[in-house]
Amino acid sequence: GVAPIVAYETNNGGDFELERLARLNRYGDYRIYTMKKLDPMSRQLIDTGKLGWDTNTATRPKMLQELKEAIESELLHVYHRPTVDEMFSFIINPNTGKPEAEQNAHDDLVMALAGAWQLYQTEQPMQEQGGGVVETDEGSQFYKEAGVLVAGGS
């Protein structure tokens, strides 16, 4: 099978936990995500070798925009009710212009889904024979996991 991948967010001191996670993985039971960046010349994603995911002023708008586009174009269908509820309280703050949860609401699930969508686009999907997870590069197949359904290519 394919080893699972852990995409640990390195913001706010996550580097220490990421190092601990890497030490715990001494037998290679899973892969640890490494940040990718777009090479402006070749337009190819390049692996930076930096462990973990970094949500910052450069990655946050991109991940949210690409999540929005995936949902609007029906590449991604979200069935997890708490995530859908958070999406309905996710706004552009009129004072700061920052996309975030409205006052007294949360956006953790929206941000986690946006991060997962980024990971889905840059990593190989898990493949199983006869299970709920299938290869996504053929037109009529789907990838279903954790309340999210992703349609394959056309």
Side-chain angles (χ1 to χ4, degrees):
V2 177
I5 186 165
V6 176
Y8 194 89
E9 188 173 39
T10 59
N11 304 32
N12 302 321
D15 288 330
F16 173 76
E17 285 300 318
L18 192 56
E19 290 171 17
R20 188 170 143 261
L21 183 64
R23 284 193 309 273
L24 290 171
N25 191 32
R26 63 183 167 265
Y27 299 116
D29 294 328
Y30 48 85
R31 293 184 303 138
I32 299 176
Y33 177 80
T34 53
M35 281 296 290
K36 313 294 187 281
K37 71 175 186 176
L38 187 64
D39 180 331
M41 298 290 281
S42 69
R43 307 289 299 156
Q44 297 283 331
L45 280 179
I46 297 173
D47 193 325
T48 67
K50 181 182 179 221
L51 292 176
W53 173 266
D54 183 22
T55 302
N56 57 47
T57 56
T59 60
R60 182 181 167 91
K62 177 184 182 296
M63 63 195 277
L64 290 169
Q65 181 62 35
E66 289 181 3
L67 176 63
K68 178 180 182 280
E69 290 170 1
I71 291 169
E72 287 177 347
S73 64
E74 298 184 3
L75 289 173
L76 187 67
H77 303 270
V78 182
Y79 297 100
H80 185 246
R81 175 52 56 192
T83 303
V84 172
D85 291 343
E86 277 192 13
M87 289 174 156
F88 280 106
S89 65
F90 198 80
I91 63 165
I92 305 284
N93 184 314
N95 299 321
T96 65
K98 181 180 179 182
E100 60 189 1
E102 61 190 6
Q103 190 170 357
N104 299 320
H106 300 280
D107 63 9
D108 297 331
L109 298 173
V110 172
M111 295 305 298
L113 181 57
W117 182 247
Q118 291 298 299
L119 185 72
Y120 175 81
Q121 294 178 92
T122 62
E123 301 299 312
Q124 292 295 319
M126 184 179 279
Q127 298 175 31
E128 291 181 6
Q129 295 296 324
V133 180
V134 296
E135 184 116 25
T136 59
D137 54 0
E138 293 182 31
S140 63
Q141 295 182 329
F142 296 93
Y143 173 79
K144 185 172 194 256
E145 189 68 32
V148 177
L149 184 65
V150 180
S154 52

